[in-house]
Amino acid sequence: MARYLIGLVGTGIGPSLSPALHEREAAELGLRYTYRLLDLDVLEQPVGAVLAQAWAEGFTGLNITHPAKQVVLPHLDDIAPEAAALGAVNTVVFENGKAIGHNTDATGFARSLRRGLPDVRMTNVVLLGAGGAGAAVGHALLSLGTGRLGVHDVDPDRASSLVTALRRRFGDDRAVVCAPDAVRTADGLVHATPTGMAAHPGLPIDESLLREGLWVADIVYRPLETALLAAARARGCRVLHGGGMVVLQAAESLRLFTGVDPDAGRMLAHFEELEGEPAHAS
């Protein structure tokens, strides 16, 4: 029987649910599957060195998270078309002597949003964060039919780069760089920065901008109830936590690693058992 050795590369990944989600579903599928955390802060090595070492040690593949989804690109031999369009990779598969980059974040977020907030208005949406995760979310939002996407990032050049890529794919009138106060007139707000994670507490936006009638989605899932979601809920917003995205992107990554189709519904149930709350709660 084939043995699969998978790793997660990133910083502050100690609380990650990825090992449990992957290993539980792999066990259900009858696979020999081990999932390890490769924390860049602990290893004190750059992404390229960690990638090379994992390959040398016989890893099947790696998941890539903050802050390495874009940094990893120069260290890959090939990039799948979707990941190339996003300019970010969250899954690396070692096969046929090559390190091949994929991205399952975009489909994971899109499927989570359709499950958790299926009927929300999406004429005008604001995205906070233009890094690797933000790029995936931006492409997902426009693919789902967002009319106009405003992108804000603390790094203006990064926001501008993402908007340029989105316009190239979806049209010049679909994406713009915006200021945080664009939330005042938006239908929805999606947060895609590390702010709110256990290692990065706080609010990514002035809570006075939140109002009833606005929907708010956060890709952070540890904790599920981020400061942003708590503030949004208190002001009457419909909210979506990051649990669904992490499960559904994990399901697609597992398929890429093994060639076996996982049961996404069962993985959502695994999440609820682990966290005590549904992955699609809103």
Side-chain angles (χ1 to χ4, degrees), residues 101-117:
H102 301 265
N103 193 300
T104 67
D105 281 336
T107 54
F109 176 79
R111 293 174 65 191
S112 177
L113 188 65
R114 285 197 298 263
R115 281 174 172 265
L117 297 173

Side-chain angles (χ1 to χ4, degrees), residues 108-120 215-217 238-241 244-245 248 268 278-282:
F109 176 79
R111 293 174 65 191
S112 177
L113 188 65
R114 285 197 298 263
R115 281 174 172 265
L117 297 173
D119 56 350
V120 291
W215 58 267
V216 179
R238 294 179 65 189
V239 303
L240 179 69
H241 62 58
M245 178 180 175
L248 296 168
L268 290 165
H280 58 275
S282 62

Side-chain angles (χ1 to χ4, degrees), residues 120-250:
V120 291
R121 183 178 174 86
M122 299 180 66
T123 302
N124 182 8
V125 178
V126 170
L127 169 64
L128 296 181
V137 168
H139 283 258
L141 286 166
L142 291 177
S143 295
L144 287 171
T146 294
R148 184 175 184 271
L149 181 67
V151 179
H152 175 75
D153 194 279
V154 293
D155 181 344
D157 290 338
R158 188 160 60 181
S160 180
S161 294
L162 176 55
V163 166
T164 297
L166 293 171
R167 286 178 171 178
R168 188 180 303 120
R169 185 176 184 185
F170 296 99
D172 289 345
D173 60 339
R174 301 286 302 281
V176 297
V177 175
C178 73
D181 63 4
V183 172
R184 294 188 190 278
T185 57
D187 301 309
L189 167 67
V190 182
H191 172 239
T193 85
T195 303
M197 293 172 61
H200 303 275
L203 277 165
I205 194 172
D206 187 334
E207 64 181 292
S208 68
L209 296 173
L210 305 172
R211 68 185 194 285
E212 188 174 357
L214 177 77
W215 58 267
V216 179
D218 201 330
I219 70 163
V220 173
Y221 76 96
R222 277 295 177 89
L224 282 179
E225 183 79 346
T226 61
L228 173 63
L229 293 190
R233 207 185 293 273
R235 288 177 177 261
C237 304
R238 294 179 65 189
V239 303
L240 179 69
H241 62 58
M245 178 180 175
V246 75
V247 173
L248 296 168
Q249 66 80 21

